[in-house]
Amino acid sequence: IVGIYPQARLQSWDSAIGSGTQLATSEIVKGVLAATAGGPGVINLSLGGDSAEVPIRQAIATAVSKGMLVVAASGNDGDIGNRLTYPASLPHVLTVGATDSGDGVAVFSSRSSFVDLAAPGQDIVVADALSQGWESEDGTSFASPIVAGAAAWVWTVRPELDASQLFEVMRRSATDIVPPGRDDASGFGL
């Protein structure tokens, strides 16, 4: 619950509308651009959809061009077809799949050539605003912020890196997991 890097300065943006079950493209764009204005830094996107909407694509391109590291959840369709999700399938996005309690790739974690890393994403204890308590959840949306937190920590201790160098440090420092080598399920590893 403490997280990977509890000293990090966080900026949160809620893109949910209605009862919290829909994400507004305009709000996602506003959040990415707001984070970009405070950069350089790490943007976590624990969200995804079937299409690469142009405004979101442009906001991410702006963020990357201004030196931001964008981290995104790969999606939760691993057991039902592995459809590509966006923004995880966009270039220059560090894409994160989920592992289970045994450090294997979680069954639900989407697999694709865009997956760069995997992180714990099963039975993650999170705050639940509706019940005002704690819940155990599964999803790549919980794996992605673990990688984002680790990247922010690395960037704090290695501020001379630019975002593309940090991207590579994260990939090259991963621990390889089954299957051996870079793969569509865990990318470069845990």
Side-chain angles (χ1 to χ4, degrees), residues 2-10 145-146 148-157:
V2 171
I4 296 298
Y5 184 29
Q7 296 84 10
R9 184 176 67 90
L10 298 178
I146 291 173
W153 180 82
V154 170
W155 218 347
T156 299
V157 297

Side-chain angles (χ1 to χ4, degrees), residues 25 28-29 47-61 83-91 93 114:
T25 296
I28 295 168
V29 169
L47 51 84
D50 293 333
S51 64
E53 296 188 34
V54 172
I56 295 172
R57 184 185 294 262
Q58 290 172 334
I60 290 171
R83 67 183 169 87
L84 289 180
T85 60
Y86 297 89
S89 299
L90 293 175
V93 170
F114 295 98

Side-chain angles (χ1 to χ4, degrees), residues 64-97:
V64 170
S65 74
K66 297 213 183 248
M68 303 297 286
L69 177 67
V70 179
V71 181
S74 71
N76 301 318
D77 291 331
D79 51 351
I80 55 170
N82 291 309
R83 67 183 169 87
L84 289 180
T85 60
Y86 297 89
S89 299
L90 293 175
H92 311 296
V93 170
L94 187 64
T95 301
V96 183

Side-chain angles (χ1 to χ4, degrees), residues 113-131:
S113 61
F114 295 98
V115 174
D116 294 294
L117 298 170
Q122 188 171 40
D123 296 324
I124 304 300
V125 178
V126 298
D128 184 307
L130 298 176
S131 70

Side-chain angles (χ1 to χ4, degrees), residues 28-51:
I28 295 168
V29 169
K30 286 179 190 175
V32 169
L33 295 178
T36 300
V42 180
I43 297 174
N44 178 67
L45 296 171
S46 288
L47 51 84
D50 293 333
S51 64

Side-chain angles (χ1 to χ4, degrees), residues 134-187:
W134 304 99
E135 301 289 332
S136 180
E137 298 286 345
D138 298 340
T140 59
S141 287
F142 307 108
S144 183
I146 291 173
V147 170
W153 180 82
V154 170
W155 218 347
T156 299
V157 297
R158 302 269 317 270
E160 73 280 3
L161 298 175
D162 65 27
S164 64
Q165 291 169 322
L166 177 60
F167 193 107
E168 277 305 304
V169 165
M170 297 304 294
R171 290 179 8 163
R172 291 180 188 210
S173 64
T175 300
D176 193 22
I177 57 176
V178 174
R182 197 250 162 255
D183 59 82
D184 288 353
S186 65

